[in-house]
Structure formats: C-alpha cells, structure tokens
Amino acid sequence: MQLVVARIGRAHGIKGEVTVEVRTDEPELRLGPGAVLATDPASAGPLTIETGRVHSGRLLLRFEGVHDRTGAEALRNTLLIADVDPDERPEDEDEYYDHQLMDLDVVTVDGTEVGRITEISHLPTQDLFVVERPDGSEVYVPFVSEIVTEIDLDEQRAVIDPPPGLIDDRAEIASARDAAAEDAAGGEA
C-alpha cells in the first residue's frame, strides 16, 4: 500500500535542501536517511533521502543527486510516497493509520448503527471522523477517547459514546436567559 508521507516545499539555501510538509506521524521512520520514496508526479522520482535535519521547527531534506538550489526548486510541490505494509500498525496501541480507520462501521455503545467512516479530517486541535449516515447525510465525530471508546479493527467497527446532540437532536440548550424567563413566569403565577 502506498501512503503520502510528505510534500516538498521550497528550496532552502544553495546546497539542494528542501523544506517538507510532513504528512505522517512517524517522520523518523518514513523520512530517515536512506529511505527510498516514490513521487507524484512519478517523473520526479524515486528519490532517496541523503540527509535530514530540523531547522527552525521545519524538516529539511536533501536527496541523492540533488545538490543545488535549481535541482531543489524543481522538486517543489512533489508528493513523497512510502510503501507501507497494509497490516503494519503504529507502535502505540492507541494510534492508527488513516487507511485502517477508513470504512469502519460506527456504532454507539448500545449497538445503534450510526454510519461508516468516509474521511478523517486532521485539524490543529483534534482529528475528526467524517461519518456517512445510512440516509446519506454526514456527521462529524471528534476522535477523542471520551467519545470514541473502542476501535476494533478485527470487527471493522468504531464504538462511540456521543454526547447529546452530536448525532441526534436530543441536546437541550440551557441559558441564563431561559432560566430568568422561567423564574419570571413562575413568580407571576
């Protein structure tokens, strides 16, 4: 299975280094020296990582055969693709690759069918499951342990314990204004 692990950004300096936008939780494994990566477009690769370092919070890579700014700029916006065993799992038992979560059935703790995961949205604060419901509508489920209580890859399902209002209309909106109106109405009776 092939997964996009990074996108090449602009050249850095004059010796062929490039910035990369990392798209993997395991850059030390996927983007280490000696790694051979396929590319999109395919005509740019394959590329072998010669060196890597972090500079000002950004990962910089240099590829074999690319030793000047012109060569580095020619790679801009190229996607780096790693071959990954589909059965491989992250080291941490509570982590998952996106491809493992796609198409999982989503059910509540009481067994009610919610839908199927069609996308994982990676936001700065947390990840979200985009779940397609049987009627074709979508619901967004935060991928946090308080809501997603179990991921069972063998059974191909994610179990959720959603708060009221996340997947249904049971939410009750309470505000100080409503309470004041009830108090005023109750005081006049």
Side-chain angles (χ1 to χ4, degrees):
M1 166 179 266
Q2 294 192 317
L3 297 175
V4 174
V5 293
R7 184 183 64 81
I8 298 175
R10 63 180 194 229
H12 179 82
I14 60 171
K15 296 183 180 179
E17 285 185 312
V18 294
T19 61
V20 291
E21 174 189 313
V22 177
R23 296 187 180 177
T24 176
D25 288 339
E26 301 171 316
E28 63 285 343
L29 175 67
R30 308 278 182 226
L31 300 171
V36 179
L37 303 166
T39 61
D40 182 8
S43 60
L47 294 173
T48 302
I49 297 175
E50 187 174 281
T51 63
R53 66 186 178 103
V54 176
H55 175 73
S56 299
R58 304 257 326 160
L59 180 60
L60 302 178
L61 297 179
R62 181 177 305 142
F63 301 100
E64 289 181 6
V66 180
H67 297 286
D68 61 18
R69 186 173 186 88
T70 303
E73 275 297 334
L75 295 172
R76 191 173 193 162
N77 293 322
T78 298
L79 297 176
L80 299 175
I81 303 166
D83 279 318
V84 178
D85 180 346
D87 296 327
E88 181 180 327
R89 294 190 177 179
E91 290 180 13
D92 186 343
E93 66 182 44
D94 291 333
E95 290 184 4
Y96 303 91
Y97 295 127
D98 286 3
H99 72 272
Q100 293 173 311
L101 301 171
M102 293 297 292
D103 292 324
L104 291 184
D105 293 324
V106 179
V107 298
T108 61
V109 289
D110 67 5
T112 304
E113 179 185 353
V114 176
R116 180 180 57 85
I117 298 173
T118 58
E119 184 181 338
I120 292 94
S121 180
H122 300 282
L123 303 175
T125 54
Q126 68 190 15
D127 296 336
L128 288 176
F129 291 160
V130 179
V131 178
E132 183 178 320
R133 303 193 67 161
D135 65 6
S137 64
E138 291 181 336
V139 63
Y140 301 98
V141 177
F143 187 21
V144 294
S145 59
E146 294 81 15
I147 296 173
V148 180
T149 60
E150 179 186 355
I151 298 289
D152 187 339
L153 296 179
D154 295 328
E155 293 294 322
Q156 287 291 288
R157 70 180 187 154
V159 179
I160 65 171
D161 187 10
L166 183 66
I167 61 171
D168 57 26
D169 296 327
R170 293 179 301 157
E172 292 183 24
I173 308 297
S175 72
R177 195 174 316 157
D178 293 340
E182 284 181 24
D183 288 344
E188 294 175 8

